[in-house]
Amino acid sequence: MELKDMEFQMRQVRLDVVETTQYDPGKALQQIFDLLKVKDDTQRFVALSLMKYLLEGNGSLQRNIPVLMQCWTAIPPTFLTRIFKSQAQASTDPNAKNLFELAVSIVHSFIVLLQNHLSVILPKGMGTGLRKHWKQRVEAEMSGITSSPQVIRTLIFQTFLSFAHTVEGASVLTEVEDWTPLLYYFPGNILVKDMFWTTYMTLGKAGDQVSIDKVSRSFGKNFAVLASIWAKEPVTILEDFFEYIVNSILAKVPVEIYRPTSAWLEPLVKLIVTSTVTPRKGPAFPKLKAKAVKLASILTRIHPVKTTELLFSPNIRQENASSAKPLSYLFLKLILVDIKSTIPSLLEQINATTYRSTSERLACSYDILSAFTNYLVGAAEDTNPDLPLFAPDLLLQLRTDISQTLSLTIEYLRDCYDASIGGAPGLHPSSRAPTMALTWDYPTGFPNDLLIPAQIRALALWIREDDGEDLRKEAAGITDVLLNLYSPSDTSTSTATNPRNGEDPSHEIEVALEGICNTSEGIHAFISENGYAKLLSKLSSLLTAASSSSSSSTDAKIDFDRGLGIQLLLLKISNSGEIGPTKEEYLSSILSLAAGMKLANGCPKGPQHPTDPADPASLQRAVEAVQARRRDEFLTGILDLAYDALGRASRGLRQKYRGLAEKVLSKAQKMAEREREEGYMEGQAGGVAESLGQVISGEGSGHGVHII
């Protein structure tokens, strides 16, 4: 039928319907239903147009949910899909544009009117046929976005956003291959922005209802398109994009959706690096750099391996500039320059309103520095032999710059701690008028500063892994600061997008002490600040948790590796030659700790359980067996510390604590017996038991090779 004839027929039928609705709306609907049953697309098109007219003009009908459901089910699915697909012939068929816009409008109307009953439109567990129809309709809407007027385009965006809130609708959206026409409008349209993250959030929380693998691939593909679009945007728009990723995607979409794949991470990381190191004019550029650095630091927390592999790759270079320095190298240099130029005057800004934003920016920079250190460690340990590295001369320059940066960091920690905790004569808070505030007065207190844990982490990792003696000696000068911040029962409430929220730096302090105690100055500072008592208290809390655990699943929550690290540190200090015989206070503490520990019953029965990768229960048993062995290694380490302390004690102290030592020996013998029965740990507990027996009997000493 020609367009003129169709319009004439619509006017005639509309007049009939309008006249009918004045008396009987139900009869008018019945006329529309009868037209929809006719196997004539023109008649059906007229009926659909009139249904839309009737729905928009009749308030009582809009509130009648059962009738609305009847109206929706009366529309033949194949006919509706055919109208959507007419969009492809818009350039040759004069009716196609009108048909497509009608289809968009009618679906949008029902989506709005049935917003609390969307299962009628998108039924749960929809069959293959209906899913195919919806996929074809959405594909047609995607294709028609660019050529549609603004009003129709907005209806499409609103429809997609409603789809995104349901598992079925979001699943249909992700089955569509090409989102490019939609994503083109992403930068300036809040509907498209909300639809993007809501789609993947809904599916991420759907559990077994969807294939996470397929959804993840869809995310990676569409995000790569987004990154390519945003790379061409001005500074202010790009700044919004980074903020959107942090606040919407990373904060709301489950991490299972944005897995560490190159599909989306690689273009995003490249965008972060290039936008940071490429100079741009205008006052918005510093904000852009700050948000780019924040995003990079969060990504290194969420997906550390893949992110650092991309972020520190020497392959990120300026286009057509193969001989230039890698952009990732310039990115690191920029971060170090920012820290070095800000830290010297930061103490004066602590009480300023701008301090929080400055400290957050620097904390993110320190986090990236920590990630780079871990990246270098991974490359040095050959955990990834193909890991790309900068040229040797660039690495040497970075090493120098990092050492200088951390030297300034040590000075800052020293000065900041002294000013906020120790104060100055007459200027400490307890010695001045309540209304007298100084520039270094913390609104929240030194231990709660967001910046401190990030600084300690970066410093700790570097001085542990780098052999620079000078920096370790400098760090020894803040041993008192570190130990005063140390909490044996640390609890962290950090999150991926706000990793320093309530974070306790105690673990990082343990790592820092590993590097500091490689120097004579560090060991003496550790002893003078009663470091033994601090670390023994942490071991005691771990031991209490291990002793009270009723199963290997409970053990999984206990960080035994951390306990073993503390034990190794204490043994390193005792064997350094820098300290004398064991003091009574330490001997009493470690013997009491070892004698009072309980041997858990949840031991693996054999060296290892048969593991079937396809059997979750088998995998769980294997994990529990490994954790149980780690628990026993930790307990054996406690015994080894007791043996070491007893062996270095004077004869008088050995005799005084003989009874306690014999209880420790009994524990060691029981561990050795279980060790022989279970067939693992290679005789560690047996070796400790034998050595303890010799020391107690006076035949041996604690000096020499230890078990851990």
Side-chain angles (χ1 to χ4, degrees):
M1 179 179 289
E2 294 295 330
L3 183 59
K4 290 183 178 179
D5 295 335
M6 186 182 297
E7 291 176 345
F8 175 76
Q9 184 170 346
M10 285 176 59
R11 283 196 298 269
Q12 291 298 113
V13 178
R14 180 178 293 177
L15 289 173
D16 294 340
V17 172
V18 171
E19 182 178 351
T20 304
T21 55
Q22 293 176 355
Y23 305 100
D24 188 355
K27 187 176 179 180
L29 280 175
Q30 188 58 52
Q31 290 180 351
I32 293 174
F33 294 159
D34 291 340
L35 287 172
L36 287 172
K37 293 177 182 177
V38 177
K39 293 186 177 181
D40 181 344
D41 282 355
T42 301
Q43 297 289 327
R44 289 173 171 177
F45 175 70
V46 171
L48 207 60
S49 300
L50 295 174
M51 180 184 286
K52 179 177 179 295
Y53 169 78
L54 190 61
L55 291 175
E56 291 176 349
N58 192 313
S60 61
L61 182 60
Q62 293 173 0
R63 296 185 293 272
N64 194 329
I65 300 301
V67 173
L68 289 173
M69 292 180 178
Q70 186 181 3
C71 290
W72 173 256
T73 55
I75 302 173
T78 304
F79 167 65
L80 184 59
T81 302
R82 196 157 53 246
I83 295 179
F84 270 105
K85 294 173 71 174
S86 67
Q87 187 275 333
Q89 288 81 41
S91 59
T92 58
D93 186 350
N95 294 328
K97 183 174 180 294
N98 292 331
L99 290 170
F100 174 71
E101 291 182 1
L102 173 64
V104 170
S105 299
I106 197 71
V107 168
H108 178 269
S109 295
F110 278 105
I111 289 287
V112 172
L113 295 173
L114 293 173
Q115 56 184 321
N116 295 324
H117 305 274
L118 286 181
S119 59
V120 175
I121 301 173
L122 298 163
K124 293 182 179 180
M126 70 171 73
T128 305
L130 183 56
R131 180 176 292 275
K132 182 179 179 181
H133 277 302
W134 274 121
K135 180 181 178 182
Q136 292 174 343
R137 296 167 189 171
V138 171
E139 286 175 338
E141 287 190 286
M142 287 281 190
S143 301
I145 287 174
T146 305
S147 59
S148 296
Q150 178 63 43
V151 174
I152 298 300
R153 193 182 303 140
T154 300
L155 296 183
I156 293 174
F157 295 160
Q158 290 174 346
T159 299
F160 286 174
L161 181 56
S162 296
F163 272 44
H165 283 283
T166 70
V167 174
E168 293 73 21
S171 180
V172 169
L173 287 170
T174 55
E175 289 179 8
V176 175
E177 291 293 327
D178 188 10
W179 283 25
T180 304
L182 172 72
L183 299 179
Y184 176 80
Y185 292 91
F186 189 103
N189 195 294
I190 188 63
L191 292 172
V192 181
K193 290 180 179 180
D194 287 348
M195 170 261 172
F196 187 90
W197 70 259
T198 303
T199 297
Y200 293 108
M201 180 193 71
T202 300
L203 294 177
K205 296 179 178 180
D208 297 335
Q209 299 180 60
V210 297
S211 169
I212 294 298
D213 289 339
K214 291 182 179 179
V215 177
S216 181
R217 285 195 293 272
S218 169
F219 175 85
K221 179 179 179 180
N222 290 323
F223 193 92
V225 174
L226 267 186
S228 64
I229 292 173
W230 282 77
K232 304 171 185 177
E233 296 294 335
V235 171
T236 52
I237 302 296
L238 193 55
E239 178 189 339
D240 290 341
F241 181 49
F242 291 153
E243 188 171 5
Y244 170 84
I245 296 172
V246 172
N247 296 335
S248 295
I249 294 181
L250 301 184
K252 298 175 182 177
V253 178
V255 70
E256 292 81 8
I257 300 300
Y258 51 88
R259 295 174 177 177
T261 61
S262 297
W264 70 279
L265 263 179
E266 187 168 358
L268 176 58
V269 169
K270 185 174 181 180
L271 182 59
I272 290 171
V273 172
T274 53
S275 64
T276 305
V277 303
T278 304
R280 300 171 187 245
K281 296 180 180 180
F285 185 47
K287 292 183 179 180
L288 171 65
K289 291 193 295 184
K291 290 186 178 179
V293 169
K294 179 179 180 178
L295 176 56
S297 72
I298 293 173
L299 291 174
T300 60
R301 291 275 191 132
I302 299 174
H303 297 312
V305 176
K306 190 63 179 180
T307 300
T308 54
E309 180 183 327
L310 295 168
L311 187 62
F312 307 127
S313 170
N315 300 323
I316 303 180
R317 297 177 179 272
Q318 291 279 15
E319 295 182 5
N320 303 321
S322 57
S323 61
K325 292 178 181 178
L327 294 184
S328 47
Y329 169 80
L330 299 177
F331 177 74
L332 281 168
K333 291 280 286 185
L334 183 146
I335 285 174
L336 294 173
V337 167
D338 184 31
I339 295 174
K340 287 192 288 186
S341 62
T342 308
I343 282 292
S345 60
L346 188 61
L347 189 60
E348 304 168 5
Q349 306 173 33
I350 285 178
N351 211 21
T353 56
T354 58
Y355 176 75
R356 185 175 181 84
S357 60
T358 302
S359 65
E360 182 179 358
R361 186 188 80 241
L362 292 178
C364 292
S365 297
Y366 278 108
D367 283 345
I368 293 174
L369 181 55
S370 299
F372 180 64
T373 304
N374 282 325
Y375 178 80
L376 293 178
V377 172
E381 293 178 350
D382 293 328
T383 54
N384 187 349
D386 298 325
L387 208 60
L389 289 172
F390 299 127
D393 60 323
L394 298 182
L395 284 174
L396 286 173
Q397 182 59 52
L398 279 175
R399 181 176 184 264
T400 300
D401 290 343
I402 291 173
S403 296
Q404 293 173 353
T405 301
L406 293 177
S407 178
L408 288 173
T409 302
I410 292 170
E411 290 182 24
Y412 174 78
L413 287 170
R414 176 80 270 168
D415 294 343
C416 193
Y417 178 82
D418 289 345
S420 62
I421 304 298
L427 295 180
H428 189 271
S430 62
S431 304
R432 51 182 145 103
T435 56
M436 182 181 179
L438 303 178
T439 56
W440 59 73
D441 282 344
Y442 268 103
T444 58
F446 176 78
N448 301 318
D449 190 346
L450 298 172
L451 179 58
I452 302 302
Q455 289 180 313
I456 293 175
R457 183 185 305 110
L459 175 64
L461 288 171
W462 188 261
I463 62 176
R464 182 184 66 178
E465 303 299 339
D466 186 72
D467 293 330
E469 192 77 6
D470 292 340
L471 193 62
R472 286 175 173 173
K473 289 180 179 179
E474 287 184 52
I478 59 168
T479 303
D480 61 320
V481 177
L482 299 177
L483 289 175
N484 272 286
L485 290 173
Y486 187 78
S487 173
S489 57
D490 59 338
T491 55
S492 175
T493 58
S494 61
T495 62
T497 54
N498 191 8
R500 287 165 298 280
N501 181 30
E503 183 174 356
D504 189 300
S506 296
H507 190 197
E508 286 75 17
I509 291 171
E510 293 163 13
V511 174
L513 291 173
E514 289 184 45
I516 290 172
C517 289
N518 280 317
T519 66
S520 173
E521 293 84 352
I523 291 174
H524 288 290
F526 175 81
I527 295 171
S528 65
E529 294 297 329
N530 202 20
Y532 274 119
K534 293 273 188 178
L535 296 187
L536 281 181
S537 181
K538 178 60 184 177
L539 288 179
S540 178
S541 66
L542 287 172
L543 187 58
T544 300
S547 300
S548 61
S549 64
S550 57
S551 66
S552 296
S553 60
T554 307
D555 285 343
K557 302 176 183 178
I558 304 172
D559 193 351
F560 291 121
D561 286 339
R562 182 171 171 184
L564 289 168
I566 295 174
Q567 293 165 6
L568 286 170
L569 173 60
L570 293 175
L571 286 176
K572 179 171 70 174
I573 293 172
S574 69
N575 291 318
S576 64
E578 297 289 340
I579 61 175
T582 304
K583 293 184 178 180
E584 182 174 0
E585 182 181 0
Y586 175 67
L587 179 64
S588 174
S589 298
I590 190 59
L591 288 178
S592 298
L593 195 64
M597 70 183 190
K598 297 178 182 179
L599 305 183
N601 296 320
C603 302
K605 300 298 182 183
Q608 62 181 13
H609 290 280
T611 303
D612 180 4
D615 180 13
S618 176
L619 290 172
Q620 180 62 28
R621 288 195 302 270
V623 170
E624 291 177 359
V626 170
Q627 188 68 2
R629 289 196 291 274
R630 298 301 286 166
R631 178 196 62 213
D632 280 358
E633 289 174 6
F634 169 70
L635 297 178
T636 303
I638 298 289
L639 296 172
D640 199 14
L641 285 175
Y643 155 63
D644 172 79
L646 193 64
R648 291 189 300 103
S650 64
R651 185 176 298 273
L653 283 180
R654 290 189 204 177
Q655 189 63 33
K656 180 178 179 180
Y657 288 94
R658 183 182 180 89
L660 202 55
E662 288 176 346
K663 291 181 180 180
V664 176
L665 176 59
S666 175
K667 298 285 184 182
Q669 289 170 340
K670 289 179 181 179
M671 286 286 293
E673 181 180 352
R674 190 170 72 189
E675 175 184 80
R676 289 191 295 270
E677 292 175 355
E678 301 298 337
Y680 65 94
M681 288 178 62
E682 301 177 352
Q684 294 180 20
V688 174
E690 182 180 355
S691 300
L692 270 171
Q694 291 175 355
V695 172
I696 293 172
S697 65
E699 297 176 3
S701 68
H703 302 287
V705 179
H706 292 272
I707 303 302
I708 63 172

